[in-house]
Amino acid sequence: MAKPGEVEAKWWVVDADQKVVGRLASDIAVILMGKHRPTYTPHVDTGDFVVVVNVEKIFLSGKKWDQKEYTWTTQYPGLKKETARTRFEHKPEMILIEAVRRMLPKNKLATKMLSKLKVY
């Protein structure tokens, strides 16, 4: 079992050129959680740092550019919606960040793991 101070994090550089978003996000989530190491411990951040380049060249399969919707709420009544195509035009890195965030555990440790992800 790993202890919090004894894990040395490495740096990974990932090229997202012509990669499918879901498959790339699952590989990145495994590295951020540290499941690729033999010393994986669920309650300790054993993951590595990940730098993703060429995120503007990611790929969605099928008709997901027009059919996939991202929804969120505000303080006011109503629900905001945005398709993957419009989100990609404004902030292409947010498609990959959201996919990775949803694959991480839902706890406080996930915010530490997600802070190790840099997207360019």
Side-chain angles (χ1 to χ4, degrees):
M1 304 232 359
K3 294 187 173 121
E6 66 185 29
V7 178
E8 185 177 332
K10 297 179 183 175
W11 286 82
W12 293 65
V13 178
V14 178
D15 188 12
D17 188 16
Q18 296 299 317
K19 299 280 177 74
V20 179
V21 174
R23 293 172 189 255
L24 180 64
S26 64
D27 292 339
I28 292 172
V30 167
I31 294 169
L32 289 175
M33 286 187 281
K35 286 192 168 186
H36 64 289
R37 295 177 179 238
T39 59
Y40 169 70
T41 308
H43 64 278
V44 178
D45 186 11
T46 58
D48 294 335
F49 292 94
V50 178
V51 178
V52 183
V53 294
N54 293 329
V55 75
E56 65 276 355
K57 297 177 184 177
I58 58 174
F59 180 71
L60 286 174
S61 61
K63 299 179 182 178
K64 290 184 187 137
W65 285 115
D66 297 318
Q67 291 179 351
K68 184 168 180 62
E69 288 186 340
Y70 295 94
T71 58
W72 67 94
T73 59
T74 62
Q75 293 178 346
Y76 299 101
L79 191 66
K80 298 277 188 175
K81 290 184 181 179
E82 185 177 42
T83 62
R85 187 176 304 281
T86 57
R87 179 167 284 194
F88 185 76
E89 292 170 359
H90 299 296
K91 295 182 180 178
E93 67 274 0
M94 287 305 293
I95 291 178
L96 184 63
I97 290 173
E98 280 295 308
V100 171
R101 183 186 66 85
R102 292 173 180 173
M103 292 182 186
L104 293 175
K106 294 2 177 219
N107 55 24
K108 293 178 185 176
L109 193 58
T111 57
K112 289 182 182 179
M113 292 176 190
L114 198 60
S115 68
K116 292 182 172 185
L117 175 66
K118 303 297 179 206
V119 180
Y120 298 106

